[in-house]
Amino acid sequence: MQTELSKKLGIEHAVFGFTPFPAVAAAISRAGGFGVLGAVRYAAPDELKRDLDWLDGHADGMPYGLDVVMPAKKVEGVTEADIEAMIPPEHRAFVQETLAKYGVPELAEGEASGWRITGWMEQVARSQLDVAFDYPIKLLANALGSPPADVIARAHEHDILVAALAGSARHARKHADAGIDVVVAQGYEAGGHTGEIASMVLTPEAVEAVDPLPVLAAGGIGSGQQVAAALALGAQGVWLGSVWLTTTEADMHSPAVTRKLLAAGSGDTVRSRALTGKPARQLRTEWTDAWDDPAGPGTLPMPLQGLLVAEAVSRIQKYEVEPLLGTPVGQIVGRMNEERSVQAVFDDLTRGFEKAIDRINKIAGR
């Protein structure tokens, strides 16, 4: 599964694996892919430094990257406290009423919320980059449009490729105009923030829009046959995220979430604004249903929604309140029905890829 881009980065397979877990990122790189560590959950630079130290020491010298979330335009002088003050009281009341309805216990006195949306704040992302540029990362990806111009320039000074996620050909062209190096065309089927165009349509549109820049296909990909299809559509690799959530290296901190993922079908996800304020595909739960109910107050725009629900999400996760418990995941969850190692996932991807290529060769009479 090699392409021009994979050869440029020195990896065996053109499989880019996004994950919030350093152990998974390292295992992806060791297996011949390209591990990309998600930085959004790191509120403190020291925490990111700790995990990059670990990742760098366990990737066996293979390349890896980092995924951050920062807006292209900077807003000066706005603090997290300023944003918190914008949250309407009726939305806070709705959160407390919903938690009370399901008997979700309070956090212990003095216990801070373990899940925060601070990683979406530009100043936090910039502090993450101050740490990251001290490491030999080979790719910097931004999940919220093109990074600011100075960030792109700084990455290029360190010989780091810059990638940005796109949900349409128009987005892809904007990324190309901004000077990024790789477009990740993320289809409707993908987990987390995603647009409304399916991968089969989006991938060739993005390839045509930014040619000759390389495009990675994302969304609904979890088999070698799907990797082959993505490359046939013109992509130079695939960007996989959801499939790693049920690997043995993933530290989900919740057996209940893992059980729900393994039991879910491809129709058990929903694009909801409940988590961050932007449409994000996730497991459908009674929590997402409550926020999507027209009788409720509705969700707030990013980043207000993320700040609003941060403590609630921490409580739901800590006490594993199953009716409300979910996680971002794509429609490929229907194939994620057993726990496997990262290496086992790669073995399955390569076998499926070979079968698909053999099938096409037979059709072509080769």
Side-chain angles (χ1 to χ4, degrees):
M1 296 188 289
Q2 280 212 337
T3 64
E4 183 179 342
L5 179 61
S6 67
K7 293 174 182 176
K8 181 176 183 177
L9 288 168
I11 57 177
E12 183 179 359
H13 304 300
V15 174
F16 295 72
F18 165 81
T19 175
F21 308 117
V24 175
I28 291 169
S29 291
R30 290 197 307 269
F34 191 96
V36 181
L37 180 65
V40 71
R41 68 191 182 100
Y42 296 98
D46 287 349
E47 296 174 357
L48 178 60
K49 183 179 187 307
R50 176 201 64 207
D51 282 359
L52 283 175
D53 280 340
W54 190 96
L55 172 55
D56 196 57
H58 290 80
D60 289 356
M62 302 306 293
Y64 59 89
L66 190 74
D67 179 279
V68 297
V69 179
M70 61 192 310
K73 295 181 180 179
K74 186 174 183 177
V75 179
E76 299 283 358
V78 178
T79 67
E80 185 176 338
D82 294 331
I83 297 173
E84 286 264 17
M86 299 177 185
I87 298 174
E90 59 267 28
H91 283 77
R92 294 189 185 277
F94 180 75
V95 169
Q96 296 308 317
E97 291 166 5
T98 305
L99 294 176
K101 176 181 177 181
Y102 290 90
V104 182
E106 298 275 355
L107 295 176
E109 186 175 351
E111 182 178 359
S113 168
W115 186 88
R116 296 298 284 165
I117 202 67
T118 49
W120 300 95
M121 308 288 287
E122 182 180 351
Q123 62 266 33
V124 175
R126 285 186 176 275
S127 69
Q128 293 168 348
L129 293 177
D130 289 339
V131 171
F133 286 134
D134 288 335
Y135 291 83
I137 62 173
K138 299 299 182 185
L139 178 77
L140 175 66
N142 190 40
L144 197 63
S146 303
D150 67 295
V151 171
I152 296 174
R154 190 175 174 192
H156 287 165
E157 288 172 3
H158 287 79
D159 293 324
I160 297 169
L161 296 180
V162 179
L165 274 66
S168 70
R170 179 175 60 85
H171 292 157
R173 281 191 291 269
K174 287 179 67 175
H175 294 335
D177 291 342
I180 64 95
D181 307 291
V182 181
V183 170
V184 181
Q186 180 163 285
Y188 172 82
E189 308 95 324
H193 294 124
T194 187
E196 299 182 348
I197 304 173
S199 298
M200 183 65 74
V201 175
L202 176 61
T203 302
E205 286 187 349
V207 168
E208 183 176 349
V210 301
D211 183 59
L213 286 184
V215 171
L216 301 177
I221 301 172
S223 72
Q225 291 89 338
Q226 291 166 319
V227 175
L231 300 190
L233 292 172
Q236 286 204 31
V238 293
W239 179 275
L240 309 185
S242 297
V243 72
W244 315 113
L245 293 175
T246 51
T247 56
T248 53
E249 293 89 348
D251 187 7
M252 291 297 292
H253 298 295
S254 173
V257 169
T258 299
R259 286 197 303 271
K260 293 185 81 167
L261 288 170
L262 295 173
S266 56
D268 292 327
T269 68
V270 63
R271 284 174 76 245
S272 171
R273 298 177 184 267
L275 190 61
T276 68
K278 280 184 174 288
R281 187 170 297 285
Q282 56 204 279
L283 284 177
R284 181 175 182 177
T285 66
E286 293 184 35
W287 177 255
T288 62
D289 286 348
W291 282 105
D292 294 338
D293 189 336
T299 56
L300 297 170
M302 180 187 281
L304 299 182
Q305 182 71 15
L307 290 170
L308 169 66
V309 305
E311 181 182 321
V313 171
S314 287
R315 289 165 61 182
I316 292 165
Q317 291 175 344
K318 177 178 179 178
Y319 299 109
E320 295 197 311
V321 184
E322 292 210 28
L324 305 179
L325 191 62
T327 186
V329 70
Q331 291 180 329
I332 198 64
V333 70
R335 294 182 61 93
M336 296 158 48
N337 49 24
E338 63 176 332
E339 292 187 76
R340 300 179 294 167
S341 68
V342 168
Q343 184 61 60
V345 172
F346 268 89
D347 291 343
D348 184 60
L349 289 173
T350 54
R351 282 193 298 267
F353 183 82
E354 290 170 357
K355 287 180 181 178
I357 297 302
D358 287 344
R359 186 180 303 121
I360 293 301
N361 283 338
K362 288 178 181 177
I363 293 172
R366 296 176 181 172

